[in-house]
Amino acid sequence: MSEATDTGPMLAADGRPLKQSLKRALRAQKLRALMLIAPLLLFVLITFIAPIADMLFRSVENQIVSQTLPRTAQALEDWDSTGGDMPPDDILAAFTYDLVAAAERKDHTRLGTRLNYEMTGISSLFRKTGRRVDDFGEIYRDQFVDLDPAWEKGETWVTLLGDPEWIDEYAAWKAAGGDNEAGAPLFRLKDGIAQVLPETSDAYAQFARIAQVENNDDPSGEEPWAPVYLALYRDLAQGGGIDVASLGLAESALVETTAKEVTRFEAVPLRSLYTDVEDDWADPEVWKTVKTFLPEYTPGYFLSAVDLQKTPDGISAKPENQQLYILLFERTLFMSLVIMGSCVLLGYPIAYLLSNLPMRTSNVLLILVLLPFWTSLLVRTSAWKVLLQQQGVINDVLVWAGIVADDARLVMINNQFGTIVAMTHILLPFMILPLYSVMKTIPPSYVRAAKSLGASNWTAFWRVYFPQSVPGIGAGCILVFILAIGYYITPELVGGTTGTFISNRIAYHISSSLNWGLAAALGTILLAVVLILYWLYDRLVGIDNVSLG
């Protein structure tokens, strides 16, 4: 018996092991295939996946409240909203510092608009208060300046609160010819000052940075906002006093002198400052609403989309006169199904006729089916307004024929009937074309064979022809239903108050009310409904049975 010889792995023509060469070739093929589909994949990601992801995010995003009112968010955490009164001055002070900064950045109007979705009237409340909040603390500013004019100078505040290293950096930047504050070193607080004057350092640091970034001003040349003086008064008026020795020699003397006199200052409760601007600030529901919507993410938009609302006391139903969206969803589904059924009833005979006529004749008729695509959607919809209105062509013919009385003309526009008629006309080609393409592939010999075996015309059609056309019906129904459920131009023009779809409300919130969060929630729910119906269709009928021919 001969001894077996180990020849080693099989090699390719280039001398590499064959298995390694095959893997390398397969990897290269996959990369080439990926590069070929990369443009399409990128297009889908940008135009389809990214907008859906953005819609999902906007439907729960609520960061504007917490980002605009960071101090208020922290202060309201421990506030008992069941007391039935305004928050205490500590919370109102934090709200004042947040609001004056937001007003300087013009963010208070966006914040008010967001909260106005939850409680009507808050938007005007924020706008009105934003114009006057920079005066809150004016009474303290006058008393500080009367005590020592140094408090009116920006240099005093920079020396008191600014980091010495920042002061040197800023001076060097100025000496180098810096004339645009946007490129200046950003204001930094002195080490330890936040422990000594917590509210003052926080409020002034925000003022200095906004002065530099937003207004291109030098903090040392600007008098602080009045609320900064309010913060200084609150810090100095603390019963335990402050560690003035930690401030440095020059500042210690000024602060120590002021701290001794501050107890004699005339004080004004912050509550009265807010109620002087608008009595609605005394309503605890305003503050409860602010507290309720402080989290960065909220289910509030989705709750509103199903006629519920998030309140300080939990989730509850909206008042009956505000319950709208469930009705719109039901109407949208119902009318889309009716339009789909109408297209099947009208489109099936037409497709059957086209598929069984001689090619030359069917091509001419097919052009007539496609002709509406060459006409503007707006023109076709407007034509139905002319035809269906009470003084329109159809009513005139019915009156002329004596079918209806002249004083009892039919109301066929600005309602569900008008929407169904107009949309059936617009979407009918999308039903005919899939049906025609499938029916064209059904051999006529099948029906003739059935008849030769004794089947009647109806039996041959129903038992032989119709089952083979079902894939075309499925394709047409899916196409028409999905197009119908998202339509908004035609319902907007001919639907009136009873024939509009949920898509019309989404368009309204995007373009008019600018409530993009609610529009995104409605769109997300609509997308979920379509996907669920698509899944049910697949389970009951089978998506594999759908065919475009």
Side-chain angles (χ1 to χ4, degrees), residues 261-398:
E261 299 293 332
V262 78
T263 55
R264 303 178 185 177
F265 281 12
E266 178 186 355
V268 177
L270 279 171
R271 175 194 181 101
S272 62
L273 293 178
Y274 280 96
T275 53
D276 286 346
V277 175
E278 185 62 59
D279 291 337
D280 288 344
W281 284 116
D283 183 0
E285 293 301 319
V286 172
W287 299 97
K288 290 180 181 179
T289 301
V290 173
K291 181 178 180 179
T292 301
F293 290 92
L294 280 173
E296 293 187 356
Y297 301 98
T298 177
Y301 292 123
F302 279 103
L303 293 174
S304 296
V306 291
D307 294 331
L308 299 175
Q309 59 184 347
K310 182 182 179 182
T311 67
D313 301 322
I315 298 174
S316 63
K318 286 188 174 182
E320 288 189 10
N321 61 346
Q322 297 180 20
Q323 294 181 10
L324 170 67
Y325 298 112
I326 293 296
L327 173 64
L328 283 176
F329 276 115
E330 292 175 349
R331 179 193 298 167
T332 299
L333 291 174
F334 168 75
M335 295 180 65
S336 296
L337 290 172
V338 171
I339 293 166
M340 181 188 72
S342 302
C343 287
V344 172
L345 294 176
L346 295 174
Y348 195 95
I350 298 174
Y352 180 82
L353 179 65
L354 291 173
S355 63
N356 288 280
L357 285 174
M359 182 63 70
R360 183 173 182 178
T361 307
S362 65
N363 285 341
V364 173
L365 295 179
L366 191 59
I367 291 175
L368 297 179
V369 173
L370 297 174
L371 190 61
F373 288 124
W374 305 340
T375 308
S376 168
L377 174 63
L378 187 61
V379 172
R380 283 180 280 163
T381 304
S382 300
W384 279 111
K385 290 178 69 72
V386 175
L387 291 171
L388 295 176
Q389 61 183 324
Q390 285 188 291
Q391 303 300 323
V393 176
I394 295 177
N395 264 303
D396 286 344
V397 171
L398 293 176

Side-chain angles (χ1 to χ4, degrees), residues 453-481:
L453 293 174
S456 64
N457 289 335
W458 170 251
T459 301
F461 168 78
W462 185 249
R463 298 288 298 273
V464 177
Y465 190 88
F466 181 79
Q468 297 182 77
S469 66
V470 167
I473 296 176
C477 286
I478 288 180
L479 192 58
V480 169
F481 180 79

Side-chain angles (χ1 to χ4, degrees), residues 34 174 266 496:
L34 180 61
K174 278 287 189 182
E266 178 186 355

Side-chain angles (χ1 to χ4, degrees), residues 193-222:
I193 193 66
Q195 286 73 40
V196 181
L197 299 171
E199 291 191 28
T200 307
S201 57
D202 186 29
Y204 182 80
Q206 185 166 243
F207 156 77
R209 289 163 185 165
I210 289 179
Q212 286 185 282
V213 176
E214 303 292 336
N215 303 327
N216 291 329
D217 290 330
D218 180 354
S220 63
E222 298 294 321

